[in-house]
Amino acid sequence: AQSVTQPDIHITVSEGASLELRCNYSYGATPYLFWYVQSPGQGLQLLLKYFSGDTLVQGIKGFEAEFKRSQSSFNLRKPSVHWSDAAEYFCAVVAISNFGNEKLTFGTGTRLTIIP
Amino acid sequence: DARVTQTPRHKVTEMGQEVTMRCQPILGHNTVFWYRQTMMQGLELLAYFRNRAPLDDSGMPKDRFSAEMPDATLATLKIQPSEPRDSAVYFCASGFLGGDYGYTFGSGTRLTVV
């Protein structure tokens, strides 16, 4: 079965500093990978997704992520964070079964705090 | 922008009452997921549908929860009878298999069972 690990529960960075949020996945085939962001009291918003092709994907709000098959990772990065980036970030993977069924599995999330 | 609409946004109910949550997926999307989010368990997949057919509801407590898609524009999640431990935020998401696999989430229903 597929799984997603986000090893950092909580990260604090200074405004203007760079950011990297870690995500590792476990899945036998080529994964479909996502990063979502959730602000307090809100739903989940898709930041970016990887299906195939270029391993560096660009998303909204200046975020990017790099798929590394050899490390089973899909880390999220941003060169300079803004106070409005404070939120919970979720990595997710879709597994496609032999029957074509899809299952979207989330990691436990990383809470990002921004300090002045 | 197309959006997934969930109603109600908030629901407070007494233990033992029936609760129905509704979701209107994005037109043209053929996959619908129901998730429950709590502080302790995070995001749990309860059920998912493709082309209105339930494909996986293994994450759902069968004795009290039920999920249906009476038509392509409506998905429902019912809890009967409700219990305090059901207090959580329930999210619906829709997407399109064969498309870009991006899934759009609704704003959620915050359920409080007292």
Side-chain angles (χ1 to χ4, degrees):
Chain A
Q2 76 280 7
S3 65
V4 178
T5 302
Q6 294 181 250
D8 303 306
I9 295 174
H10 185 202
I11 283 184
T12 300
V13 298
S14 299
E15 191 169 14
S18 64
L19 170 70
E20 182 168 26
L21 301 182
R22 296 184 291 167
C23 172
N24 292 97
Y25 67 90
S26 172
Y27 182 53
T30 299
Y32 299 88
L33 295 158
F34 306 82
W35 275 100
Y36 282 86
V37 60
Q38 184 180 31
S39 298
Q42 303 297 312
L44 281 77
Q45 182 183 21
L46 181 65
L47 282 177
L48 47 79
K49 54 188 182 288
Y50 171 78
F51 301 135
S52 63
D54 193 347
T55 56
L56 185 63
V57 294
Q58 303 296 321
I60 62 171
K61 305 186 180 189
F63 285 93
E64 66 178 26
E66 186 171 13
F67 170 61
K68 292 185 177 180
R69 184 187 300 275
S70 61
Q71 299 177 18
S72 298
S73 69
F74 188 56
N75 294 348
L76 182 71
R77 301 193 295 246
K78 187 169 185 178
S80 176
V81 298
H82 186 261
W83 64 267
S84 60
D85 294 324
E88 187 95 18
Y89 291 80
F90 293 92
C91 183
V93 63
V94 163
I96 310 297
S97 74
N98 292 335
F99 301 101
N101 296 339
E102 64 210 274
K103 186 169 183 177
L104 179 61
T105 301
F106 284 88
T108 51
T110 297
R111 183 157 59 95
L112 175 65
T113 298
I114 308 294
I115 56 176
Chain B
D1 287 346
R3 57 171 61 183
V4 174
T5 303
Q6 289 188 247
T7 55
R9 288 295 309 275
H10 303 273
K11 176 72 176 179
V12 180
T13 191
E14 293 185 346
M15 182 173 63
Q17 296 298 304
E18 177 178 300
V19 175
T20 299
M21 291 168 272
R22 294 176 173 81
C23 168
Q24 181 178 355
I26 292 173
L27 190 64
H29 283 186
N30 66 351
T31 302
V32 173
F33 295 91
W34 280 105
Y35 285 88
R36 175 171 62 184
Q37 186 178 38
T38 61
M39 290 291 292
M40 295 301 295
Q41 300 298 325
L43 281 160
E44 301 174 274
L45 176 63
L46 296 176
Y48 90 91
F49 294 78
R50 177 144 44 91
N51 296 325
R52 296 175 53 202
L55 294 186
D56 186 350
D57 61 1
S58 58
M60 203 164 62
K62 301 292 192 303
D63 56 339
R64 299 183 299 108
F65 285 60
S66 63
E68 295 179 343
M69 279 200 75
D71 62 60
T73 65
L74 178 65
T76 62
L77 180 67
K78 289 186 181 180
I79 308 175
Q80 168 63 22
S82 59
E83 298 180 1
R85 59 180 167 150
D86 301 328
S87 297
V89 181
Y90 292 80
F91 288 105
C92 172
S94 73
F96 181 75
L97 182 64
D100 63 4
Y101 289 102
Y103 301 100
T104 303
F105 278 75
S107 299
T109 294
R110 181 174 296 275
L111 174 65
T112 303
V113 183
V114 298

